[in-house]
Structures are given as structure tokens and as C-alpha cells.
Amino acid sequence: FQLETDLRRAIDNQELHLHYQPIVSLVNQKIVGFEALVRWQHPQRGAISPAEFIPIAEETGLIVPIGWWVLQQACLQMQLWQAQFAMNVPFKISVNFSAPQFTQPQVGKQIIQILQATGLDAKSLQLELTESVLMEHPEAIAALMEELNALGVSLALDDFGTGYSSLSYLQRFPINILKLDRSFVCRIGKCYQSWEIVRATIMLARALDMEVVAEGIETLEQLARLRGLKCKFGQGYYFSQPVDSTAAGELLAQQF
Ligand code: G
Ligand code: G
Ligand code: MN
Ligand code: NA
């Protein structure tokens, strides 16, 4: 409970910040976007992993204010980078959204407001949702996703393959990108089933006009196999860990 109390104060005390992990083209290894990942620097306990505090934030509803802070911060940073670098290709910032963030009214309006306030084009924003988000409020979320899609915001299904009923969701919701869970990617050269699941997912996505981002690429062998399957995008320690905004800016400076 102490952690919950502390987390309540974390935003105001400026203890949260974002890290950015590159999402790269597997064809030329250029960066095509960043996933924003929240970090908490606790004044006494030091860095606390989101794997520890995000579940608490979700249970307590604190994910709502934290999520808005993350979105605002990520859009602002992205807009600054776009002003600083001549990004001559489509480039997106990808932000995670949890189920409780969708239960409040006017979520769509709030997202539009953040885009306007930060000056970021809707086409530069991608939201990552998990299957559990879609499962909890299917009707309301389908409508909201249509609204966001019409604005130009991209929608990615995170951790694809690890939830339930994934395939029916693909026809029910306007999903643009499948983020293939790293549990498949890490076994791609070791396990025949994982290889086939990855292969089938890439083919399915192509047939449904969706993109695939392979998560958790750690080795050259995984990269080579994914390229062999014509998987276009990837993310993982092989390319870069999540890094702070300064280091992310340096990566951009090398490329643009
Ligand atoms: O960055 P790391 O791999 O430690 O993240 C652990 C988990 O926390 C991942 O599942 C990731 O999706 C989640 N996470 C990180 N940042 C955010 C965020 O801003 N919002 C939400 N909802 N989840 C996040
Ligand atoms: O659930 P989500 O996909 O949002 O989680 C992102 C998390 O995955 C981040 O915490 C990030 O640190 C972690 N991650 C990113 N790339 C790799 C990787 O190559 N290997 C492993 N083990 N974790 C990764
Ligand atoms: Mn994610
Ligand atoms: Na994931």
C-alpha cells in the first residue's frame, strides 16, 4: 500500500519519465518510430520497474492520470523531434493504453485535445492496446477505435498471440498493426511451432492488410529468419534497449 500512496504523488513530484525504444524497418534497419515506456524513479527505492507498478496503477485507477501524462509527454517529445529533424518518412510514436483508460467518458476528445495542445499530427501517433482491453469493453472501444482511425491515429494490438480470441478481434476492430509477442520471436529458431505461428501470423496480417512488428528481437539469427518471412518491422535489444530522450534524440541525429 505504501507503493500506491507513493505512486499517487509520483506525477506531481516529477518522478515519472519516459524511455523510448526504437521500432525499426527490418529491410534497412532504419528507425521508423519509438515505443514510449514509462519509468518511475522512486526517491528512496530508486528505479521501480513498470512490470511492478503498472499493475498497481491499473488496479487503483491511477493508470488514468498516469496514462494521460504519458500520452501528453510522448506527443510533446515527438513534436519536438519533428521540429528538430527533417523526418522525410512516416515516423510514429507508439503509446501503451490500459483498459481503465478507456472506461472514462470522452476518451476520444481528450486524445484529440492532447494532439492539438502538443501540435502533433494524428498520423504520427500509434496506440498499443492488448486483447484484454478489447475484451472488457468491446462496443465502446470499437466505436472509439473507428473514431481514432478516421483521424489518422494508428492502432496496434500489443502482445499478439498471448491473449484469447485474437482472430475474431481482427475482424471486429479496426486494427492496423499486430505486435507479435516476444515469446514467439525468442523461440523462432528453437521451436518448430513458434516458427510456424510467426509465419502464419505474418501471412494472415498481409492478407488482412495489417503490418506486423516482431517484438523482442535479440539475435541476428532471429532477425535473419524474420526477414526471410518478409516481416517488415521489429523491435528488441538487438537494435536497442529503451533509452532516455537524450539518447533517442542522438539516434535520430544519426539517421536524419
Ligand atoms: O519497459 P518494460 O518492458 O519494463 O515494461 C513492462 C510492461 O509495462 C510492459 O508490458 C509495458 O507494456 C508496460 N508499460 C510500460 N509503459 C507503459 C505505459 O506508459 N502505459 C501502460 N499502460 N503500460 C506500460
Ligand atoms: O508489453 P510490451 O510489449 O509493451 O512490453 C515492452 C517491454 O518489452 C519493455 O519493458 C521492454 O523493455 C521489453 N523489451 C523490449 N525489447 C526486448 C527484448 O529484446 N527482449 C526482452 N526480453 N525484453 C524486451
Ligand atoms: Mn507495448
Ligand atoms: Na508486447
Side-chain angles (χ1 to χ4, degrees), residues 29-40:
Q29 297 201 31
K30 296 235 188 252
I31 304 174
V32 297
F34 286 114
E35 178 175 354
L37 294 155
V38 69
R39 297 289 179 257
W40 182 17

Side-chain angles (χ1 to χ4, degrees), residues 16-186:
L16 300 181
H17 61 281
L18 295 185
H19 275 188
Y20 299 88
Q21 186 175 36
I23 298 172
V24 305
S25 158
L26 299 187
V27 177
N28 58 17
Q29 297 201 31
K30 296 235 188 252
I31 304 174
V32 297
F34 286 114
E35 178 175 354
L37 294 155
V38 69
R39 297 289 179 257
W40 182 17
Q41 189 66 29
H42 189 282
Q44 282 87 41
R45 294 179 46 180
I48 298 180
S49 163
E52 190 176 346
F53 74 82
I54 291 288
I56 296 172
E58 287 177 343
E59 281 162 29
T60 57
L62 283 169
I63 194 67
V64 173
I66 290 173
W68 289 129
W69 181 85
V70 168
L71 183 65
Q72 142 96 24
Q73 192 68 23
C75 289
L76 187 62
Q77 180 62 75
M78 187 64 196
Q79 201 280 329
L80 289 172
W81 281 328
Q82 285 181 340
Q84 189 179 354
F85 302 104
M87 296 179 180
N88 46 3
V89 287
F91 196 100
K92 293 186 206 307
I93 185 81
S94 197
V95 178
N96 291 283
F97 254 65
S98 301
Q101 298 180 257
F102 283 106
T103 56
Q104 340 140 75
Q106 312 224 303
V107 186
K109 276 212 180 108
Q110 180 98 11
I111 292 170
I112 294 168
Q113 216 165 51
I114 289 178
L115 287 169
Q116 285 170 346
T118 58
L120 189 71
D121 188 332
K123 289 191 179 59
S124 302
L125 178 64
Q126 176 170 309
L127 299 183
E128 299 194 8
L129 319 176
T130 59
E131 286 162 343
S132 62
V133 172
L134 305 186
M135 209 158 64
E136 281 182 41
H137 319 279
E139 261 79 51
I141 287 195
L144 176 62
M145 289 171 79
E146 297 289 354
E147 182 188 346
L148 292 171
N149 229 315
L151 287 172
V153 175
S154 302
L155 301 168
L157 194 52
D158 201 5
D159 306 333
F160 181 76
T162 57
Y164 304 95
S165 315
S166 319
L167 298 180
S168 74
Y169 289 158
L170 300 185
Q171 60 180 15
R172 227 167 130 191
F173 299 96
I175 293 159
N176 311 110
I177 296 122
L178 300 181
K179 295 197 77 173
L180 185 60
D181 193 69
R182 70 167 175 263
S183 58
F184 303 112
V185 173
C186 76

